[in-house]
Structure formats: structure tokens, C-alpha cells
Amino acid sequence: MGFLQHIVGSLALAGVAVSSPVAQWGGPPGYGPPGPPSNGPHPGPGSPPSYGNTTSVIAPNPANGHWVDTWTSMPQLTEFANLPPPPFNQSNLVFYNSTIRQTLRVTLGAKQLRIRLSNAFGLNDLPITKVNIALPVAEVGQNLTGASAINTTTVQQLTFSGNESIIIPNGALAVSDPLNFPVTEGQIISITMYLQYGQASNYVTSHPGSRTQIWLSNGDFTNTANLTDASVQSTFHWFFLSAIEAWEPPQDSSFVVVGDSITDGRASYNNFNGRWPDLLFNRMQTYGPTKDIAVVNQAAGGNRILYDGNGPNALSRIDRDVLAQSGVKYAMIFEGVNDIGTADNTTYNQTLTGDRIIQAFEQMITRVHTFGIPFFGATITPFGAPNSTIQTYATPERLATRDRVNNWIRTSGKFDAVIDFDAVVRDPNNPEQLNPIYNSGDYLHPNQLGYQVMARAFPLDIFEKYQNGVSTFA
């Protein structure tokens, strides 16, 4: 069977690509030359037109493939402090007449992709005027991750059910039509979107902890190599991007990690892809049995298991962030520190919090096992400090709760496998604290070296052990 792709190549060669000027098609093979410019009308906020798209039929390649997430970003409600800078943020309006250029790193390679956009936390419509995908070009002093320029010979217009534009209702997401856009494992791609009318709200869906620089400009520069307008600014958040799905052979799958700021890479290097799941994927690519597994990160700074905060609580989002994702074969939870650290520092509240975390873990296991997916757990890493002024979580009562929950994780046998991150990064001379060489300075988050040792310590053999899934009974 086939699926439709509607392609418009609105390639405006207004700028010169950083690599070399191209007079005729000279892009990488498989991308296809850009089509004729689109001269259709701009949409009003109530009725997005087709923009005169040219319809062509593409066959799934491979024919027996399936969709697998190759990158994800956990949607969150943007805190007011993390909204885009003015003029892209006005009273009850964001991104009016704005171009947003964002880079991201896919994990598995593929020949065909589609993109998901999210308005999960918007309170009203999100009108997307146009979106394209291209390969980035790093200007002087930049990495490809966080790059501001694109190779215009690789630009392809995204469509949504045949239209360049789409209005996404509050709480909803949109999936683009599939397109031929070959990528290799670990490749960086650039997504540029234009919002002619912006979103009429200051309640915006984003992922604040991107650790990746993005670029903003007034006007429509979606097909322009370089953003050169005087309005150009940058920030370190992803907006509206939720997932990249890749059309993969039957044996390919994804591993989803649900986590908090430690998995989101707090204190890792910007524009480096240095989160421990990023580094784990690098390692998995060197080991034959795990080369066909994507690693996708569903973490958010400050996230908790039991209560909403920076994003919905982990127990509530298992369905959205794990079970509703494409091609999931393995899943993992690495959370709990924020529940313990924000619960009242009394014996009663800490006992209740520990009991509820354990019960929530058991509920997650039951839910994920219903789909035959093995569910791994990780021990909570140390947060002890010389005093609670340096690290407010560091009280004897809270540390005791951590130890009790970790003991359950290690010994209960409930998780299909346990990744003992606590043992990896703790100080051998003071096990309630991070090893000084892995301490970022706040006594809670590992530094870049700490994330590297966490990735190296991850037991790759668990993927082989559970390649056939688990019982769905419990």
C-alpha cells in the first residue's frame, strides 16, 4: 500500500549557502530537486488553503516498514521566564510574523520521515503557516547542533494532509505527511517554521531544557540560507516540536526514557548533545544487537512522579510519552528525586512520599507491561551536600527516603532490569553525595563527565534479554 506526500519546493535562493553557491541541483542524492515556487495565497486564521501543492505518490521504503520515533521532546507548558524574548513575545501573543529555526539530532537513520508538532498546552489555536526541513550549515563558531544556516539545496516543504498550513487546536498535535528525506544515524537536521499570525496567547507549548540554540526572526525566512534580518535573536528552547518519526524496517524500534532534569541534561554542554541518553545512543551504535534501537528522551527539568510541575506528573504522562509513541519496544523511568526533595521535611510526609513513589512505579510497570513492553528502572542518584543551604533537598529525612526507595528498586524484582546510577556516580567515601569529580556544583546534577560514565555503565545486554518483550499479564 502507498501513502501520500504533497511537496512544494518553495526554494528562495535569496541567500548564499555557507558551503558553496549552487546554480543547479547539487544536493545530496535522495532529497530530490526542489519543485516550482508556490504562489498560493497566505492563509487567514480561519481557513488554511492548499497553497497550490503538487501531489505525488511515494511508496513506503522499505515496503514492510513501520514508524519509529527517532527523536522526541517532551511537551511542556512554557514558564513565563522561558517565553521567547520581545518582540517575539507580546501581551497575549507570541511569534507574530515570525520564523523559528531549530536543530535537532535524530538517532536512527531512515529514508523517509514525518514530523509531529504539539499544541498540548496552548489554550487556543496554533496557526502554523509553513514548515520546512533541511540540513543545517554551521557558520563560524557554531556546531551543526544550534546552527543558524541551512543548505538550501536540501530544503523540502512539509505538508499536513496536503496543505502547507495547519491550525492545531488547543491540546492537539499535528503529523506531517511523509516525505523522502534520507538521514543517517545521529545526523543533525534543521526545522524552520513560519507563523504569520502567531499564537494569540502566552500559554505556549515548548521544551525549555533543549540545551540547543534556536534562531528567531521577524518575517518569513523559511527557505533562506541565512537569517540576516536585524530582528534576529536566539534562545535555548525548542518550541512546538514534539517528535520526528522515521519509516524503519520491521526489526527497528525505540527505547523511551522518562526522566527529570538529570535525563534532560542539566549541566551538560550546550549544542553538544551530551545528555546521558545521547551518549548511550552513541555507545549502542557500536554494539551490533543495539544498532537498530532509537533512543528517545521524554524528560523535563523539575518533573515529578506524583505532582505536576514542569510538565505533567510522570504517572499521568506514561500513556502520552511512552505508549502513544511510535515503535516503542523498551521503556525506562529515572525519576523520584524531585518528589522527595519538594515533599515536606517531616517523617510523616517523607514516609508517605516514599510509599507513593513505590506504588506509582508499580502502576507504571503494570500499564507498560500491558503492551508487552519491558520496563527498566534506575536508582535515584545522590543529592547530599555539606548543608541544606547549598542544596535544599539535602536533609537527613529526604536522604533516608531516597535510600528506602532505592532499596525497593534494587531488591523488589518489579522492574525488568535495574540501572544502578546511584552506584555509578556516588562518592565512595560519602555515598549520600555525588563523587566530587562528577558533581556539577549543585550537589544534585552530574556534570558532563558524570553523564559520560552513566552512559558507559548502562548494561546493553538487557536489550537482548528482552528482545521478545514481556508478559502482558502484570
Side-chain angles (χ1 to χ4, degrees):
M1 67 181 183
F3 51 93
L4 293 180
Q5 178 198 39
H6 308 270
I7 302 174
V8 173
S10 306
L11 185 61
L13 296 175
V16 178
V18 173
S19 52
S20 62
V22 179
Q24 297 182 359
W25 175 249
Y31 293 89
S38 168
N39 297 313
H42 291 287
S47 57
S50 169
Y51 280 76
N53 290 331
T54 301
T55 300
S56 61
V57 177
I58 63 171
N61 185 9
N64 63 340
H66 66 142
W67 290 111
V68 175
D69 286 349
T70 188
W71 176 88
T72 61
S73 172
M74 177 194 156
Q76 296 174 242
L77 174 63
T78 309
E79 308 99 310
F80 289 134
N82 287 323
L83 286 168
F88 307 98
N89 174 24
Q90 305 172 36
S91 178
N92 294 316
L93 181 65
V94 293
F95 295 123
Y96 176 77
N97 185 32
S98 297
T99 295
I100 311 171
R101 180 164 290 171
Q102 308 178 84
T103 58
L104 53 93
R105 182 197 190 219
V106 302
T107 52
L108 289 186
K111 297 177 182 177
Q112 296 166 324
L113 301 176
R114 66 185 186 187
I115 286 81
R116 293 206 305 263
L117 303 179
S118 176
N119 190 24
F121 296 98
L123 299 182
N124 53 7
D125 288 343
L126 171 60
I128 301 291
T129 309
K130 62 174 70 172
V131 186
N132 71 27
I133 184 172
L135 296 183
V137 174
E139 298 193 313
V140 175
Q142 295 181 347
N143 297 328
L144 287 176
T145 297
S148 59
I150 58 172
N151 180 346
T152 56
T153 68
T154 66
V155 169
Q156 287 201 50
Q157 197 78 42
L158 270 62
T159 57
F160 301 88
S161 303
N163 296 294
E164 273 189 11
S165 64
I166 187 167
I167 297 175
I168 308 174
N170 60 294
L173 60 80
V175 183
S176 73
D177 301 320
L179 75 166
N180 290 319
F181 194 89
V183 292
T184 57
E185 292 76 10
Q187 186 161 9
I188 310 301
I189 62 175
S190 181
I191 307 291
T192 307
M193 63 182 71
Y194 173 62
L195 282 67
Q196 182 179 3
Y197 301 99
Q199 185 169 21
S201 175
N202 294 120
Y203 293 90
V204 180
T205 302
S206 73
H207 189 85
S210 67
R211 326 290 169 210
T212 302
Q213 195 168 15
I214 70 165
W215 299 87
L216 311 173
S217 177
N218 287 144
D220 180 3
F221 291 92
T222 48
N223 295 325
T224 303
N226 303 298
L227 301 179
T228 57
D229 189 78
S231 64
V232 171
Q233 296 189 56
S234 70
T235 187
F236 282 83
H237 313 303
W238 283 311
F239 289 97
F240 309 125
L241 293 175
S242 175
I244 308 295
E245 295 176 276
W247 187 255
E248 300 287 357
Q251 70 273 14
D252 289 11
S253 62
S254 68
F255 169 44
V256 181
V257 183
V258 176
D260 51 35
S261 57
I262 297 176
T263 298
D264 207 26
R266 177 74 177 268
S268 65
Y269 300 147
N270 286 331
N271 295 330
F272 183 69
N273 299 302
R275 311 162 193 86
W276 73 259
D278 298 323
L279 304 173
L280 173 62
F281 173 76
N282 296 346
R283 183 168 162 244
M284 290 168 65
Q285 283 296 295
T286 68
Y287 181 58
T290 58
K291 291 184 71 172
D292 296 331
I293 303 173
V295 179
V296 292
N297 193 329
Q298 296 281 34
N303 199 237
R304 294 182 290 183
I305 294 171
L306 304 175
Y307 294 99
D308 292 352
N310 289 355
N313 67 80
L315 183 56
S316 75
R317 66 186 180 93
I318 285 294
D319 279 61
R320 184 195 74 175
D321 291 346
V322 177
L323 303 180
Q325 299 300 310
S326 300
V328 177
K329 190 173 180 179
Y330 310 93
M332 172 180 167
I333 179 77
F334 177 27
E335 287 207 34
V337 66
N338 293 316
D339 295 88
I340 297 169
T342 58
D344 287 347
N345 187 40
T346 64
T347 300
Y348 172 80
N349 278 293
Q350 286 299 312
T351 300
L352 178 62
T353 298
D355 290 344
R356 291 189 63 199
I357 289 172
I358 290 170
Q359 188 177 35
F361 282 150
E362 293 185 297
Q363 286 291 304
M364 292 180 193
I365 292 165
T366 297
R367 185 70 183 131
V368 173
H369 280 181
T370 299
F371 292 80
I373 298 170
F375 199 45
F376 312 142
T379 52
I380 302 169
T381 49
F383 53 84
N387 57 68
S388 58
T389 301
I390 297 175
Q391 176 47 253
T392 58
Y393 288 8
T395 68
E397 291 82 2
R398 291 179 175 128
L399 292 168
T401 304
R402 181 189 83 97
D403 292 341
R404 181 164 69 91
V405 172
N406 277 352
N407 182 65
W408 181 88
I409 292 170
R410 290 187 181 105
T411 64
S412 68
K414 297 289 187 175
F415 285 112
D416 297 301
V418 172
I419 296 86
D420 199 348
F421 283 148
D422 169 47
V424 173
V425 298
R426 69 190 178 201
D427 184 348
N429 299 315
N430 187 353
E432 297 294 354
Q433 294 188 16
L434 289 169
N435 189 319
I437 65 172
Y438 304 143
N439 185 357
S440 67
D442 65 3
Y443 290 84
L444 174 62
H445 297 94
N447 58 20
Q448 190 64 72
L449 180 59
Y451 291 133
Q452 290 169 352
V453 299
M454 290 168 66
R456 286 202 301 267
F458 195 101
L460 297 185
D461 61 335
I462 62 177
F463 296 107
E464 294 175 88
K465 181 177 180 180
Y466 291 102
Q467 61 184 327
N468 296 319
V470 296
S471 169
T472 62
F473 184 72

